[in-house]
Amino acid sequence: MKQMTPEEQGLLEELYRSDDRKVEILHSLARKGSMITLTFLLPFALEEREEIRKATLAAVHQITSRLRKQDLIGLDQYIRRLTPYTNRNQLAAWHELLPGDIRAFSINDESDLCFIGICSFHRNGYVREAAIEVLLKQVTGAEIPFLLIRLNDWQPKIRYLAFKACKVRFRPDYVKYFLESIFLLKHLSAYYNREKFSDFLEEIDAMFRHPDNRDVLRSGFHSKDPVVRRFCFDLAINLHDIDPDEVIAEALIQKDALIRLQTVRHMCKQGENDRLRKWLERIRRDVFPSIRQLVLQAYVDRFPEESTDALLAALLDGHKSIREMARFYLREKKIDFAAYYREKLVGTEEQVIPIAIVGVGETGVKADDQWILTFLHHENERIQRAAVKALAMLNPEDHIEVFIRALQTNKRSASREARQILVDRVELRHADMLWEMLEKDVGLHVKKNILFLFSKMNKADSIPLLLRACVVQEKEIRDEAILYVEQWLYGYNRRFYLRLKDEQREKITHILEEVREFLPEDIAESVESLLVNK
């Protein structure tokens, strides 16, 4: 559960101290408050002063309305675990809440109903029972999430009351409210075990499938809750009285990739080739790789006569697994894939070149590295990064210095790619070259990558380099170097142990004298104690 921010804590402290600004503070907490903040507002909902009580109820409702349905489960568990000794001074009024207070509570709007719903999470079973009795009389639909949660209450009577309240709401005008709480229904099916709810859930499922409720189901396509949207599309695509093309068209414009994926999976499983062919050309350009992979498999399995063109196009897909899949199915065509990719390096659109470069790396031989070297200084960041990556696939050992020089590019992703390649390959003999680069006027991202490489060297070699980096010009780099030194010292005798040679000890001693004024005293003393230990 998300913790309160310092701002929320300050506002709550002032709320409990001040009498003058209570309403103003409550309005502020309504806009910013979290679930835990909501808990500390509950006592003020029982205030005698009407303006404070109404402001609190409005704040509780506003915070609750921002929560997802799954968050209500966590809120229920959190509130029920509050003992009478938890924040006793602040929450005394909440802990002392009685069933009579709930039954006497007047519900005039959604804010009042929301508070009673929160009361159904109370630690006292009699209070929860009274809250359910009050919710049973409400007819707005906003009570349904609270009733569904109480279906797993440890008190049988409360479970029965909640079940009874849900059953009387199995009516057409409540379908949309049950749909909005679909996460709670799924949770009921998967995790609630105090009662068997299979018949209950089957009735709700039948209600969702009923032809009279198609408009409600379609409205779920545009719900703010992704769980609701996914459920509605998954259900609609399997209903015979809804045009599949209507559902597919709606699904494919969804930003949620999982909705598009589950729809395409359904299409690929069905036997209607004509419908599938109609949509394939559009689906194959989807940005989600798993969908493009399904489309490629559909071409191979369902339309073999058209698959070759699709597979050749997939050789230049931006995702590695799809390129590999295309090469696997084209292996019988005896295509020289390395030559194919080399051809694409010249005279093609710029967005194709990075894929062709990586393709050469995936399918070429050592000698193909000459095709790649020319792209290491390209202005396009994607091309630079692809060149570094491909060179590492083809012939990394012969190009260590090339990778080190690639670190200093102003293209951050290319520099980071070079760093990752060098992690397991950089050695002490490369330290002078790296240090010379660290002292140059290069980007901070370059210097951070060099520090990272220093930290990954042999432990005895890395500590003098990291100490030496504590005096570089840029404060941000000095601070990061100090952090690496601190991590090195913490790991000594915990994650690793080494016995320093005399020349190593002398070298570290000399560097420590030069950098001591830049180091925190405790770190300097730890390095000294390391040098004393033989």
Side-chain angles (χ1 to χ4, degrees):
M1 186 179 288
K2 185 179 178 182
Q3 297 299 311
M4 284 190 291
T5 63
E7 184 182 3
E8 287 177 85
Q9 291 175 347
L11 286 171
L12 279 175
E13 288 173 8
E14 188 178 355
L15 179 66
Y16 277 91
R17 287 197 313 266
S18 169
D19 273 337
D20 301 330
R21 294 186 61 241
K22 271 186 166 52
V23 173
E24 181 185 344
I25 294 169
L26 285 166
H27 290 325
S28 296
L29 288 171
R31 294 190 300 270
K32 306 172 185 177
S34 61
M35 281 200 289
I36 295 182
T37 304
L38 180 151
T39 307
F40 287 93
L41 300 183
L42 294 174
F44 295 98
L46 305 167
E47 271 271 353
E48 292 183 1
R49 287 173 287 182
E50 185 178 2
E51 60 175 3
I52 295 176
R53 185 174 70 254
K54 285 190 174 181
T56 303
L57 291 170
V60 168
H61 180 246
Q62 196 169 333
I63 294 172
T64 306
S65 64
R66 291 199 299 268
L67 301 179
R68 302 169 301 168
K69 292 298 187 289
Q70 48 266 50
D71 294 330
L72 291 178
I73 297 172
L75 181 63
D76 167 52
Q77 294 175 349
Y78 179 77
I79 291 179
R80 280 191 298 109
R81 288 170 182 162
L82 296 175
T83 69
Y85 306 101
T86 305
N87 299 97
R88 188 169 183 173
N89 293 333
Q90 295 98 331
L91 299 181
W94 172 257
H95 293 315
E96 294 166 6
L97 188 64
L98 297 174
D101 300 329
I102 301 295
R103 294 188 177 99
F105 195 89
S106 176
I107 296 183
N108 301 309
D109 54 29
E110 286 194 5
S111 298
D112 297 330
L113 189 149
C114 178
F115 175 70
I116 294 298
I118 300 295
C119 290
S120 73
F121 300 163
H122 199 279
R123 185 172 181 271
N124 186 319
Y126 293 109
V127 172
R128 296 200 305 278
E129 181 182 335
I132 295 300
E133 289 174 357
V134 173
L135 291 175
L136 180 59
K137 300 172 185 176
Q138 306 308 308
V139 293
T140 67
E143 70 277 8
I144 284 180
F146 303 107
L147 296 173
L148 290 174
I149 289 174
R150 288 276 64 78
L151 285 173
N152 196 43
D153 197 280
W154 70 282
Q155 286 286 356
K157 185 176 180 181
I158 297 176
R159 292 201 300 273
Y160 171 74
L161 287 172
F163 179 76
K164 177 182 174 183
C166 288
K167 287 283 285 184
V168 299
R169 285 162 174 77
F170 280 7
R171 303 198 307 267
D173 51 328
Y174 275 92
V175 175
K176 65 178 181 178
Y177 299 112
F178 280 108
L179 184 60
E180 289 168 2
S181 297
I182 193 65
F183 181 91
L184 299 177
L185 290 168
K186 288 177 176 289
H187 193 265
L188 176 70
S189 171
Y191 300 106
Y192 288 8
N193 50 29
R194 289 193 172 98
E195 302 279 357
K196 295 294 183 183
F197 292 105
S198 53
D199 293 342
F200 176 82
L201 293 168
E202 284 174 7
E203 286 187 63
I204 292 180
D205 185 63
M207 191 165 59
F208 290 147
R209 293 174 179 274
H210 197 279
D212 292 345
N213 297 322
R214 291 294 172 263
D215 289 341
V216 174
L217 190 62
R218 288 186 177 94
S219 70
F221 294 168
H222 310 288
S223 170
K224 293 180 180 179
D225 188 340
V227 179
V228 174
R229 292 198 306 272
R230 291 168 191 172
F231 173 80
C232 289
F233 278 106
D234 189 43
L235 180 59
I237 198 69
N238 289 288
L239 293 175
H240 299 297
D241 59 336
I242 294 184
D243 181 7
D245 287 333
E246 174 195 346
V247 181
I248 293 167
E250 283 281 355
L252 294 184
I253 62 174
Q254 292 287 318
K255 293 182 179 179
D256 189 337
L258 286 179
I259 291 175
R260 304 198 305 275
L261 179 62
Q262 74 184 17
T263 303
V264 174
R265 278 179 178 160
H266 176 85
M267 293 165 62
C268 291
K269 287 178 182 177
Q270 301 306 305
E272 301 178 24
N273 282 0
D274 291 340
R275 174 172 285 118
L276 181 58
R277 179 183 276 108
K278 184 171 71 172
W279 293 99
L280 274 182
E281 189 59 33
R282 176 175 172 181
I283 300 169
R284 68 188 292 184
R285 297 191 299 270
D286 197 280
V287 296
F288 194 35
S290 295
I291 293 176
R292 300 199 302 276
Q293 199 165 10
L294 276 175
V295 171
L296 197 57
Q297 191 67 55
Y299 270 113
V300 172
D301 295 340
R302 309 275 286 275
F303 311 105
E305 68 284 355
E306 303 171 30
S307 64
T308 301
D309 290 342
L311 291 167
L312 287 171
L315 289 175
L316 294 173
D317 193 276
H319 202 271
K320 180 181 178 181
S321 66
I322 297 176
R323 295 193 299 272
E324 289 177 341
M325 180 180 176
R327 292 195 292 264
F328 173 79
Y329 283 113
L330 288 170
R331 67 193 185 283
E332 296 178 356
K333 303 288 184 182
K334 307 299 181 185
I335 297 174
D336 185 344
F337 295 116
Y340 174 85
Y341 287 119
R342 286 196 299 267
E343 289 175 10
K344 297 295 181 182
L345 295 176
V346 183
T348 55
E349 297 175 355
E350 196 169 83
Q351 64 263 30
V352 174
I353 293 176
I355 303 169
I357 290 171
V358 175
V360 172
E362 291 168 347
T363 60
V365 295
K366 273 190 175 185
D368 288 323
D369 60 1
Q370 300 308 310
W371 289 83
I372 305 300
L373 290 170
T374 56
F375 293 100
L376 285 171
H377 307 290
H378 200 281
E379 283 301 311
N380 187 301
E381 184 168 356
R382 287 186 65 225
I383 291 176
Q384 263 197 40
R385 182 183 178 188
V388 173
K389 191 173 184 177
L391 201 59
M393 296 179 197
L394 292 170
N395 190 10
E397 303 307 328
D398 292 345
H399 296 290
I400 299 298
E401 292 188 3
V402 173
F403 294 132
I404 292 176
R405 285 193 292 272
L407 281 172
Q408 57 189 325
T409 177
N410 61 350
K411 312 297 185 187
R412 291 175 178 268
S413 64
S415 178
R416 186 169 58 249
E417 189 72 42
R419 183 195 77 177
Q420 292 305 111
I421 293 164
L422 289 167
V423 163
D424 298 322
R425 296 182 173 93
V426 72
E427 298 173 356
L428 183 61
R429 60 192 173 91
H430 306 122
D432 290 341
M433 189 175 179
L434 289 168
W435 186 259
E436 182 182 344
M437 195 184 299
L438 189 69
E439 292 182 320
K440 286 183 179 179
D441 184 19
V442 292
L444 285 177
H445 69 280
V446 177
K447 298 191 176 189
K448 289 181 179 182
N449 287 339
I450 292 171
L451 283 181
F452 179 80
L453 291 174
F454 284 163
S455 73
K456 296 300 179 181
M457 286 184 179
N458 177 282
K459 295 299 182 185
D461 298 331
S462 69
I463 188 62
L465 291 167
L466 293 172
L467 283 168
R468 191 178 168 191
C470 293
V471 295
V472 296
Q473 186 176 358
E474 298 87 350
K475 182 179 184 303
E476 189 174 344
I477 303 302
R478 291 200 304 272
D479 291 344
E480 191 152 331
I482 290 170
L483 182 61
Y484 276 122
V485 171
E486 191 173 10
Q487 291 172 348
W488 191 100
L489 292 168
Y490 180 81
Y492 180 74
N493 267 353
R494 287 183 176 89
R495 293 192 293 269
F496 67 89
Y497 175 77
L498 57 87
R499 188 181 295 277
L500 294 172
K501 298 177 182 178
D502 290 339
E503 59 269 24
Q504 291 171 328
R505 201 179 300 276
E506 290 175 10
K507 183 178 181 180
I508 295 172
T509 301
H510 177 70
I511 294 173
L512 180 61
E513 292 174 0
E514 294 180 348
V515 306
R516 184 176 189 115
E517 63 181 290
F518 295 92
L519 292 175
E521 189 58 33
D522 59 329
I523 292 180
E525 290 175 357
S526 297
V527 175
E528 282 183 336
S529 66
L530 170 70
L531 296 171
V532 170
N533 294 330
K534 293 295 183 181

